[in-house]
Amino acid sequence: RVTGDGRIVVHDAEDGSRPVDLALEHVLGDMPQKVFTDHREHAATAPLELPDDLDVAAGLERVLRLLSVGSKRFLTTKVDRAVTGLVARQPCAGPLQLTVADCAVIAASHLDTVGAATAIGEQPIKGLVDPAAMARMTVGEAVTNLVWARTTGLGDVRCSANWMWAAKLPGEGAAMHDALVAMKDLMIELGMAVDGGKDSLSMAALAPTADGGSETVKAPGSLVVSAYVTCPDIRATVTPDLELPERGRLLIVDLGGGRHRLGGSALAQVFGQIGDDTPDVDDPALLGRAFTAVQEAIAAGLITAGHDRSDGGLATALLEMAFAGNCGLEVHLVDDDDPIAALFAEELGLVMEADEDDVDAVLAIMERHRVPCATIGRSLAEPVIRFAVGGGTVLETPMT
C-alpha cells in the first residue's frame, strides 16, 4: 500500500521482519557522480616510408587484396535480399550484381514510394594515429555513404554510435573521451544527432606468454556510426555502378581541401605501417554543403552513378564503379603530381558520373553551394582502366 512516508518497505508477515526498509531518497535521490581519472598517452607514430620504386599497379596489387577493401563476403553471406518485399536498395548493384551499394533503403509500405535509408561509417585504423580524427572521419564516411539516397535533409539524420574500446587501460579512457567529444562537436555542426548505441568497454584480456607469464592484449579503440534518415522517394537512390559508357563523365568532389594524407590508410596498412598524418574533417561546413548540393543534383536526376572515396582511396572507388558497371574508364588528375598520394589517400570525397549533356548543370549546382567539383575523366565501353596523373599515364590495364 502507498503510505506517503517516503520509505519503501517489504514486510514479512510470517516473522514480522523487514528484509527491505529504505528511504526513497536513497533509491531515487541524487546519486553521487562516478569519477574516472585518466591521462593522455600519445602514440609513438612515425612518418610513412613507402618503397621508392612503388608504382600504382604494385600498390593496387596489395590494396585490393586487403580484406577491408577487397572482400565483400560479410555482405554476400549475411545480406537479406528479399524478405518482406520492402527492401528498395540492397547491397548488390549493376549488371553483375556486385556488393558495392553505399547505403540501404527500405520502403515504408508496399504501396508507398517513401521510406528510409541507412548507412554506416567506420575508420578504426586512423584511430591509431589520432582518435579524434578517426571519430570525425567515421561521421564523415557515414554522411558520404548516406548522400546517395534522396533524403529529407542532413538535419533529419539520426545515428546509432557503437563504441568498442579498452577504456579501463591507461590512456584509453582519455582517447575515447577525445573521440567522443570530436564526434559530438562535428554532429552539432552538421545538425545530426545520436539517439542510441551500444558500448563494449572491456576490450582487453590477459593472455599467456611463452615464458609462462602473461600479457595484456587489447583491441584498438573503434567507433561505428550507423546513420538513418527518412526518404521522400526511394526510387531516386544512386548506386556506384557506371551506367553510361562513352557518354558518362566522371566528376570529383574533393572534401579534403586538396590534401592527400596517407596515415591510417589501406596503403599504409599493407606495408605494415600506420603513418603519422591522417585525414580529418577540416571543414565541417563544406561537408554539409556538399551533402545538400549532391542531394539537389540527385533530385534533379542529373547523377547516374556515385561512390564515396574511402577505404583504398580514389583508385579503389573508381575501380569499384567500373567493376560494378562492367565497363572501363579513363581518369586524368591534372592538378596532382604524386600518383601514389592522389590515388591512395583516403580523404573525404565523392565521385559521380553524369551524362555529358548534364555536366554543366551539375557543376552549376556545386558552384552555387560553394562546393569544389571538377571533371576528371569518362566512362568507357571498352573494358580498360587508364589513370593519368600530372600529364603522365600511371596505369593502363584491362579492367578484369
Side-chain angles (χ1 to χ4, degrees):
R1 59 191 177 89
V2 179
T3 63
D5 64 358
R7 301 191 70 81
I8 179 167
V9 177
V10 177
H11 179 260
D12 189 337
E14 287 292 320
D15 58 10
S17 64
R18 292 187 173 190
V20 177
D21 187 351
L22 292 172
L24 276 176
E25 185 174 338
H26 293 165
V27 182
L28 303 178
D30 291 335
M31 299 296 290
Q33 290 291 307
K34 196 168 185 178
V35 176
F36 295 90
T37 302
D38 201 1
H39 60 279
R40 291 181 176 86
E41 291 189 352
H42 298 287
T45 57
L48 194 61
E49 295 184 4
L50 299 172
D52 293 334
D53 59 349
L54 179 63
D55 58 21
V56 173
L60 286 171
E61 181 75 15
R62 291 194 180 207
V63 168
L64 294 181
R65 293 172 182 268
L66 187 64
L67 288 178
S68 60
V69 174
S71 172
K72 310 298 182 185
R73 187 180 176 194
F74 69 99
L75 286 171
T76 57
T77 57
K78 298 188 73 170
V79 61
D80 177 353
R81 299 183 59 184
V83 176
T84 76
L86 298 178
V87 179
R89 165 47 49 202
Q90 41 90 10
C92 301
L96 302 180
Q97 286 291 282
L98 298 188
T99 49
V100 293
D102 291 301
C103 60
V105 181
I106 57 170
S109 79
H110 294 91
L111 305 177
D112 285 323
T113 54
V114 298
T118 182
I120 70 167
E122 46 76 43
Q123 295 285 326
I125 304 301
K126 295 175 178 59
L128 298 174
V129 181
D130 184 342
M134 176 275 287
R136 287 186 288 264
M137 287 295 291
T138 295
V139 175
E141 186 184 20
V143 169
T144 56
N145 276 328
L146 195 63
V147 71
W148 305 112
R150 187 180 173 193
T151 74
T152 55
L154 199 53
D156 292 332
V157 175
R158 297 296 177 263
C159 305
S160 168
N162 287 18
W163 299 87
M164 295 180 65
W165 220 287
K168 299 173 185 176
L169 296 185
E172 294 293 348
M176 182 179 174
H177 170 270
D178 292 343
L180 192 150
V181 171
M183 181 192 76
K184 179 260 299 181
D185 289 345
L186 177 57
M187 284 190 173
I188 288 174
E189 289 197 58
L190 296 174
M192 302 163 57
V194 168
D195 59 6
K198 181 181 182 297
D199 307 327
S200 299
L201 303 184
S202 299
M203 301 301 295
L206 280 177
T209 58
D211 60 3
S214 63
E215 63 178 350
T216 299
V217 178
K218 66 180 179 180
S222 64
L223 163 67
V224 178
V225 169
S226 304
Y228 32 89
V229 66
T230 42
C231 291
D233 187 354
I234 60 176
R235 300 165 298 180
T237 306
V238 171
T239 52
D241 49 300
L242 297 175
E243 295 187 357
L244 301 174
E246 302 303 332
R247 290 191 59 84
R249 295 297 178 264
L250 300 173
L251 301 96
I252 187 168
V253 173
D254 178 20
L255 302 176
R259 301 173 183 85
H260 299 308
R261 293 166 287 195
L262 288 168
S265 65
L267 183 68
Q269 188 178 353
V270 297
F271 281 97
Q273 301 177 56
I274 299 173
D276 62 346
D277 191 16
T278 182
D280 203 344
V281 183
D282 300 300
D283 190 345
L286 174 59
L287 176 58
R289 295 197 306 273
F291 187 94
T292 302
V294 173
Q295 287 281 293
E296 183 177 329
I298 290 174
L302 300 174
I303 306 298
T304 55
H307 205 11
D308 70 313
R309 175 171 59 177
S310 181
D311 297 344
L314 179 61
T316 296
L318 289 165
L319 288 175
E320 288 186 343
M321 296 176 80
F323 295 160
N326 198 24
C327 62
L329 56 78
E330 61 180 16
V331 170
H332 301 273
L333 303 178
V334 295
D335 295 330
D336 297 300
D337 55 12
D338 183 346
I340 297 299
L343 291 172
F344 292 97
E346 297 173 5
E347 302 280 354
L348 287 183
L350 304 168
V351 183
M352 302 178 292
E353 180 194 51
D355 188 281
E356 59 184 358
D357 294 336
D358 295 330
V359 169
D360 289 343
V362 174
L363 292 175
I365 291 174
M366 299 299 159
E367 184 176 2
R368 179 156 43 81
H369 288 277
R370 293 179 292 118
V371 173
C373 184
T375 304
I376 58 170
R378 64 191 181 106
S379 312
L380 301 175
E382 180 188 7
V384 64
I385 303 295
R386 299 190 187 102
F387 288 160
V389 177
T393 298
V394 296
L395 183 73
E396 182 166 1
T397 182
M399 179 267 285
T400 52

